[in-house]
Amino acid sequence: MSALTPQSDMPTPTTDKITQAAMETIYLCKFRVSMDGEWLCLRELDDISLTPDPEPTHEDPNYLMANERMNLMNMAKLSIKGLIESALNLGRTLDSDYAPLQQFFVVMEHCLKHGLKGKKTFLGQNKSFWGPLELVEKLVPEAAEITASVKDLPGLKTPVGRGRAWLRLALMQKKLSEYMKALINRKDLLSEFYEPNALMMEEEGAIIAGLLVGLNVIDANFCMKGEDLDSQVGVIDFSMYLKDGNSTKGSEGDGQITAILDQKNYVEELNRHLSATVNNLQAKVDALEKSNTKLTEELAVANNRIITLQEEMERVKEESSYILESSRKATKDRTADGQALTEARKQLKEETQLRLDVEKELEAQIGMRQEMELAMKMLEKDVCEKQDALVALRQQLDDLRALKHELSFKLQSSDMGVKQKSELNSRLEEKTNQMAATIKQLEQSEKDLVKQAKTLNSAANKLIQKHH
């Protein structure tokens, strides 16, 4: 579009102002954008000129701003409508590489930049649209999470990049229309950032905010950590919306090829997700097997400990019975020493206490053994379920690979059709060139005949004069 702006060594103040405003927007005030059904029409304005004029005319800035607002509103209508229709036809979650979605963000960026206050330079505005977007968290508390997320992103270094990230997060949250309405309703706050006749301050901004409600039907998912939002060039691609009669013939074949490519990309993405899921499940199964082995070893150690405690308890029982018997014999024997009897009773109490402690420890070990057996059963059941899920996922993976091969075959067939169309187009171009050469020869012969006719007429006039 820069070719439409003429260069001049000595621009007049009025034309320099118009040229500067035209270079800061993609639509230029030399053209008027209007809607013709579902297409975009560009009509040239005869009353506005960007060429230097030795006698400068006084242009109406309100008229230029109104024309720019109308252009942006029409572009927003086309962008939102095309995005919704293409997203519904596509039938999947949109990502940052989707062309209609990229154009929508470019149009929204131009709408938010329109009429921003600040020092104007040859490259654009010094003040970005991030300032007005920061006000949304004060008007709608839910937007505070988006603003905090944008500020925490490490790759963003400029206010423009933060504003672009904010728009993407708001669209993912499906709250973009609500936030824009809340912002437009507070014109007293917006007046700090925008001129009085800017888009956000006029009726066109409210219309665009209402159109954004339709975007709540689409699902979008963006990964902005690796995306360079600071250095992106926001240029509106008018070719997506301009009417072209020659493109209607091959639109059906191109649509089929696009559908096949989208299906192929979707299958490959699903294949990658399933492969990652299978790998994760396999890792979990390996971890469960290791845990199962460890628990089995612990269970064996606990069983050995229980057997040892049971043997020790039997030995204590035998010793206690022997002590009881010896104590009985000692009571019957009157000649036994009383001190030995007291020591025997004391030893009996100690052995009895030791027996009780051993029985308590045995009961605790038996409870631990039962808990380990229950845990082993649950782990075996979990492993069986994971193995069944793994088998089902592998079956789905095989089906997807078969579908991928089929789509690859269709894609190859469509590529052959495209090559045939390109060969036919080249032949038609050769014939067109031949016809053009023939037309040039006929025009040259016509010029020669005209010259001969003029010569004959002059000769006839001379003979008529001589005859008179």
Side-chain angles (χ1 to χ4, degrees):
M1 299 294 291
S2 61
L4 297 176
T5 306
Q7 302 294 327
S8 176
D9 294 332
M10 297 293 293
T12 59
T14 303
T15 55
D16 180 57
K17 182 178 179 181
I18 300 172
T19 305
Q20 186 179 17
M23 296 179 69
E24 289 172 342
T25 53
I26 193 62
Y27 39 84
L28 294 181
C29 59
K30 184 177 175 63
F31 294 87
R32 174 179 293 165
V33 182
S34 61
M35 300 280 289
D36 183 10
E38 296 180 355
W39 303 97
L40 184 68
C41 296
L42 297 178
R43 296 185 175 89
E44 187 172 3
L45 300 177
D46 295 329
D47 55 342
I48 298 176
S49 176
L50 297 181
T51 57
D53 189 1
E55 297 179 358
T57 58
H58 297 283
E59 302 291 346
D60 187 7
N62 294 327
Y63 172 75
L64 296 180
M65 295 290 284
N67 185 40
E68 292 170 1
R69 291 198 304 270
M70 184 62 66
N71 293 346
L72 284 173
M73 186 182 69
N74 290 330
M75 286 303 305
K77 286 181 180 179
L78 285 176
S79 177
I80 294 171
K81 182 179 180 182
L83 178 59
I84 294 173
E85 291 178 353
S86 60
L88 294 178
N89 294 331
L90 192 61
R92 63 178 174 86
T93 303
L94 306 182
D95 52 16
S96 57
D97 295 330
Y98 193 57
L101 193 58
Q102 293 176 351
Q103 284 299 305
F104 164 74
F105 287 126
V106 172
V107 174
M108 285 301 301
E109 183 177 343
H110 281 282
C111 292
L112 292 171
K113 285 182 177 178
H114 183 261
L116 269 174
K117 291 182 180 179
K119 184 179 179 181
K120 295 183 179 181
T121 62
F122 182 80
L123 297 177
Q125 298 277 358
N126 286 335
K127 200 169 185 179
S128 69
F129 58 95
W130 170 240
L133 295 181
E134 281 186 303
L135 297 175
V136 179
E137 65 176 343
K138 299 180 181 178
L139 305 176
V140 184
E142 297 176 3
E145 181 180 357
I146 296 179
T147 306
S149 300
V150 170
K151 292 179 179 178
D152 292 337
L153 287 174
L156 299 179
K157 299 179 181 178
T158 63
V160 176
R162 296 188 188 96
R164 292 167 176 171
W166 190 94
L167 289 175
R168 284 158 174 78
L169 291 176
L171 183 64
M172 280 199 300
Q173 200 182 28
K174 296 185 178 181
K175 296 284 187 179
L176 183 57
S177 175
E178 180 182 349
Y179 296 158
M180 294 302 293
K181 285 182 180 178
L183 189 62
I184 289 173
N185 290 335
R186 294 299 303 272
K187 291 184 171 57
D188 54 338
L189 298 177
L190 290 177
S191 61
E192 180 183 354
F193 300 94
Y194 291 100
E195 299 290 344
N197 51 2
L199 184 139
M200 296 291 290
M201 303 290 290
E202 296 292 340
E203 185 181 1
E204 288 82 356
I207 294 174
I208 293 175
L211 293 173
L212 294 175
V213 178
L215 298 179
N216 295 336
V217 302
I218 66 175
D219 296 323
N221 188 13
F222 306 105
C223 181
M224 290 175 288
K225 289 185 177 180
E227 190 173 0
D228 187 9
L229 297 177
D230 293 327
S231 60
Q232 288 184 0
V233 180
V235 179
I236 299 177
D237 186 6
F238 289 99
S239 63
M240 297 179 64
Y241 313 106
L242 292 174
K243 187 174 181 180
D244 189 1
N246 296 326
S247 61
T248 56
K249 297 181 180 179
S251 60
E252 184 176 357
D254 294 337
Q256 294 176 356
I257 294 173
T258 304
I260 292 173
L261 290 173
D262 290 338
Q263 291 177 3
K264 178 177 178 292
N265 294 331
Y266 176 70
V267 169
E268 289 178 352
E269 186 68 19
L270 188 59
N271 190 3
R272 286 194 293 270
H273 284 297
L274 287 176
S275 300
T277 305
V278 170
N279 294 331
N280 292 331
L281 290 175
Q282 189 66 39
K284 290 181 180 179
V285 169
D286 294 338
L288 289 174
E289 288 177 355
K290 292 179 180 179
S291 178
N292 191 8
T293 305
K294 186 177 180 180
L295 289 174
T296 304
E297 294 175 356
E298 293 178 357
L299 183 60
V301 173
N303 290 331
N304 294 331
R305 178 66 176 167
I306 290 171
I307 294 171
T308 304
L309 291 173
Q310 287 176 351
E311 292 176 355
E312 188 176 356
M313 187 178 68
E314 293 294 332
R315 183 177 60 80
V316 170
K317 285 181 180 180
E318 291 175 359
E319 290 178 357
S320 63
S321 61
Y322 175 76
I323 293 171
L324 287 173
E325 187 178 356
S326 63
S327 65
R328 287 174 185 175
K329 288 181 181 180
T331 53
K332 291 180 181 180
D333 191 2
R334 294 179 178 178
T335 61
D337 191 7
Q339 186 177 3
L341 181 59
T342 305
E343 292 178 356
R345 288 178 179 176
K346 184 178 180 180
Q347 188 176 2
L348 179 61
K349 289 181 180 179
E350 292 177 354
E351 294 292 338
T352 304
Q353 185 65 33
L354 181 62
R355 178 183 176 183
L356 294 174
D357 294 339
V358 171
E359 287 179 353
K360 288 181 180 179
E361 189 174 356
L362 180 61
E363 290 177 356
Q365 293 293 335
I366 291 172
M368 291 177 61
R369 181 180 179 181
Q370 292 176 354
E371 291 178 358
M372 288 182 180
E373 290 178 353
L374 181 61
M376 286 290 297
K377 290 180 181 179
M378 293 176 66
L379 285 173
E380 290 176 355
K381 183 178 179 181
D382 194 9
V383 169
C384 293
E385 291 178 356
K386 297 295 184 181
Q387 289 177 351
D388 294 338
L390 187 61
V391 171
L393 287 172
R394 285 176 177 170
Q395 182 65 32
Q396 292 180 5
L397 186 60
D398 294 335
D399 296 340
L400 287 171
R401 285 174 179 170
L403 181 60
K404 179 182 177 181
H405 289 306
E406 183 179 354
L407 290 174
S408 299
F409 178 74
K410 291 182 179 179
L411 183 60
Q412 291 176 358
S413 301
S414 63
D415 290 337
M416 293 176 63
V418 170
K419 289 180 180 179
Q420 291 178 359
K421 289 181 180 180
S422 62
E423 291 177 357
L424 182 59
N425 287 332
S426 61
R427 292 177 183 175
L428 290 173
E429 288 178 357
E430 290 178 358
K431 290 183 179 180
T432 303
N433 294 330
Q434 292 177 0
M435 293 177 66
T438 305
I439 290 170
K440 288 182 179 180
Q441 292 178 359
L442 291 173
E443 289 176 352
Q444 186 63 34
S445 61
E446 184 179 359
K447 290 179 180 179
D448 296 337
L449 290 173
V450 169
K451 289 181 180 179
Q452 291 178 3
K454 288 181 179 180
T455 305
L456 291 174
N457 286 331
S458 61
N461 291 330
K462 289 179 180 180
L463 289 174
I464 290 170
Q465 290 177 359
K466 289 180 180 181
H467 184 268
H468 285 295

